[in-house]
Amino acid sequence: MITSKLPNVGTTIFTTMSQLAAETGALNLSQGFPDFNGPQALLDAVGKHVASGHNQYAPMTGLPILRQQVTAKIARSYGATVNPDSEVTITPGATAAIFCAIQAVIRSGDEVIVFDPCYDSYEPSVELAGGRCVHVQLSLDGFALDFEKIQAALSPRTRMIILNSPHNPTGALISRAELDLLAALIRDRDIYLVSDEVYEHLVFDGVPHVSVLAHEELYQRAFVVSSFGKTYHVTGWKTGYVVAPPALTAELRKVHQYVNFCGVTPLQFALADFMAEHPEHVDELPAFYQAKRDLFCDLLAPSRFSFTRVTGTYFQLVDYSQIRPDLDDVAMSLWMTREHGVATIPVSVFYQNPPQGQRLVRLCFAKREETLQQAAEKLCVI
């Protein structure tokens, strides 16, 4: 009989809800992917590079031209200078980058602080490294970091803290002042950071994304992860990258080369071309998604759901306590999918211990206008 290394892990809620949406014909606002294509020039570039023979292994660290484009984007976006050869690694998706970063530094008995609600891949990656997650809840009012709770959670075994901003599932942002407080808190401790910034360019209302890349002190102990899939509307390409100081990058690459070795070659060529030719894409992204957020929220205004417009990501939380307070959020998500034709994600799955009485579900608005209109019509009659 096999003894599972992940006994508490089953099929993810994202798979479950997407399958249920397909079975019932519901609109899928659960899993976080667009129902529209990426830029045509980017798609055309893939075919060009496939046809021209760029179909063999890329370098383990990623194509040099793509790593150079990443550093150029970082310089433009954050005023930070990183070395494309010693600090940037292209990976097959951000999840793989996070996994490799955790495996690179976490050993048996180490503790990793994560913030609930937190993305579901963090804890299994820590457990597979022999570590243990210490869950610290974000504030219920605004989902901000609670530094008293963080300080209480620190121990001699704490080896890593995982940040996520813009935050999935809540859309909350971490401020520069909060990063400064965190730096002061861990300054004299041997603690690393993973900063999950895959939604870095999906920030709204003129508020800038505050990246760990631009925080000189914290960056020296950080793995900063991002996603081409999120930024360029091609989540199925599963292509991301991680930026870290040279010593940390060297350790990450030792793991990366035995997990995937390298990312998909023609996709890397295509991304490098598009980034060089269209650097304005990332500048236009906030307005692009803010328009979708505002349309969706305007359409939901007549409904019985209550919500505060999200400040980042392409997810909107809505409170259904005025509709079916008798249902927990898992039951509510199943009921909405089966009875009203809209698939959502219950927020409780992102917690170790969900707050009692919380009645929140997550809706993805990375959709075409007609999809959002159809979904809102269904949600407004609940």
Side-chain angles (χ1 to χ4, degrees), residues 305-319:
F305 292 98
S306 58
F307 55 87
T308 300
R309 296 186 186 219
V310 72
T311 53
T313 77
Y314 47 47
F315 301 115
Q316 178 66 51
L317 296 189
V318 295
D319 187 311

Side-chain angles (χ1 to χ4, degrees), residues 225-299:
V225 176
S226 195
S227 165
F228 297 111
K230 301 293 192 301
T231 299
Y232 297 101
H233 319 310
V234 285
T235 60
W237 287 17
K238 291 302 294 179
T239 305
Y241 61 90
V242 56
V243 185
L248 293 184
T249 291
E251 293 305 310
L252 174 126
R253 289 173 175 176
K254 290 177 184 179
V255 178
H256 163 66
Q257 68 183 338
Y258 294 115
V259 174
N260 295 100
F261 182 74
C262 66
V264 179
T265 303
L267 302 185
Q268 293 190 48
F269 273 107
L271 286 162
D273 285 354
F274 187 80
M275 292 176 74
E277 295 166 8
H278 297 282
E280 76 283 355
H281 175 87
V282 297
D283 302 325
E284 297 169 353
L285 209 54
F288 174 82
Y289 272 115
Q290 183 172 333
K292 291 185 178 296
R293 180 205 67 175
D294 289 344
L295 171 65
F296 191 44
C297 288
D298 289 346
L299 292 169

Side-chain angles (χ1 to χ4, degrees), residues 323-347:
I323 301 172
R324 289 296 306 268
D326 57 309
L327 297 180
D328 65 30
D329 59 356
V330 175
M332 182 67 173
S333 295
L334 296 173
W335 179 74
M336 288 174 63
T337 306
R338 291 175 176 142
E339 301 299 326
H340 292 278
V342 179
T344 69
I345 292 292
V347 172

